[in-house]
Amino acid sequence: MRADIIAELGLDPDVINLNHGAFGCVPIAVRQAVARTQERCERNPNRFFMDEVRELIASARVRAAGFLGLDPDECALVRNVSEGVSAVLGSLELAAGDEVVVNNHGYGAVRLAVEHWVARRGVVLVTADFALGAADEEIVAAYAAVCGPRTRLAVVDQITSPTATVLPVSAIAAGVGPPVLVDAAHVPGTLRTDIVALGAAYWIGNLHKWGFVPRGSAVLWSCDAVRDATYPSVLSWQVADGYSRSFDFPGTDDYTGWISIPTGLDFWASLGGWDSVAQQSALGAKGQQLVADAVDTPVAGLPPTPAPTMRLVRLPERLAAGPEQTAAVSNRLSSEHAIETVPVWFAGRPFLRIAAAAYNTIGDYEALGRALVAAC
């Protein structure tokens, strides 16, 4: 690990973190910015909430939109992708017999949210199935095969969480009729994207995974056709003030994380921005191959377009014969070797999802390989 970056982040130097993508990391400088804003609030809460907080939030939204290449009036701040998905689903006029499409690589919490909404309204949940390592045209075909005249929404993961695959969002949006909601939880700060050009109706991305901003910071973008009919999950004082501002202030809360978004994005840039992401991607590919070689499993058949900063590694089936054993391997890596990874059981096979953050080095993957060899 790079000790200089570890120190700036305040991470435990004795832990090898290969799971940055799950929860991100809030640098010390960003925590200090949050603390300063909290102190500003508590010195005069009345003035802060009555006169200051809304414009501070709006300013942070402008910076977040600029980072993503978007018009700030087309963006809304939400706490995470899950909240954004619920806002979209709650705004749709769904009726019994309508259909919502998800895929078999999707994030579990998003699927649970969709299941909840469709069950309440008598809507049919449909799954687009495609194999690990499927080509883009196969993925598009899987969506096209299940989208029909009753489909009201298709949920597409721009980067799948369990399988770390970049999906062909533009081709899917062009190949199906219904509006597309893009779950872009892992995209901001890792994958350059012209969001408007994707052809989607909604796009939701977490800034806190790879953007070094405080947790609970995400952006929901909605296209012109649906924006005025998309509402926050909590309706409060600014509900009549237009799309973006209606999301800005859902009542009295601690908004110091949102207000500190610019400081986190400044830290991302200080590490090298997109040049650093390219280096992380190259490191992740090398680390994936190194670990796969250590445990003698193939990389062939894994996602042909992997996430820039995340990769899958197959585990030997003798090491994990089911989801519980796969989780146990990850738990042992954490408790016995101080290595953090993500266990993935997909299509009847065990994997680890590993990340490549700015503080990782090739030695981190060498240590993971040795630990897995010992476990075997």
Side-chain angles (χ1 to χ4, degrees), residues 95-136:
D98 288 345
E99 298 174 351
V100 174
V101 174
V102 296
N103 71 74
N104 61 320
H105 296 242
Y107 185 56
V110 170
R111 186 182 182 99
L112 287 172
V114 175
E115 288 176 349
H116 172 81
W117 281 100
V118 301
R120 289 177 62 184
R121 300 185 181 182
V123 175
V124 179
L125 178 63
V126 181
T127 302
D129 288 302
F130 50 90
L132 181 69
D136 283 357

Side-chain angles (χ1 to χ4, degrees), residues 248-322:
D248 278 354
F249 190 79
T252 304
D253 201 348
D254 183 350
Y255 295 103
T256 54
W258 281 2
I259 293 167
S260 301
I261 285 172
T263 307
L265 297 179
D266 286 345
F267 187 89
W268 178 88
S270 76
L271 294 176
W274 292 114
D275 290 339
S276 177
V277 172
Q279 294 167 9
Q280 294 166 49
S281 183
L283 175 64
K286 292 178 182 177
Q288 177 192 43
Q289 187 67 63
L290 188 154
V291 177
D293 288 345
V295 295
D296 194 25
T297 60
V299 296
L302 293 178
T305 310
T309 52
M310 299 189 298
R311 295 291 193 281
L312 281 187
V313 174
R314 283 190 178 92
L315 291 176
E317 293 187 30
R318 64 183 182 278
L319 193 60

Side-chain angles (χ1 to χ4, degrees), residues 20 41 69 77 90 104 126 165 179-180 198 291 330 359 369:
H20 185 94
C41 170
L77 291 178
N104 61 320
V126 181
T165 304
V180 167
L198 290 174
V291 177
S330 183
Y359 49 79

Side-chain angles (χ1 to χ4, degrees), residues 318-332:
R318 64 183 182 278
L319 193 60
E324 295 81 8
Q325 294 93 332
T326 306
V329 171
S330 183
N331 290 337
R332 285 184 60 192

Side-chain angles (χ1 to χ4, degrees), residues 72-84:
D73 291 333
E74 298 176 358
C75 296
L77 291 178
V78 290
R79 287 177 294 180
N80 45 54
V81 168
S82 297
E83 180 176 308

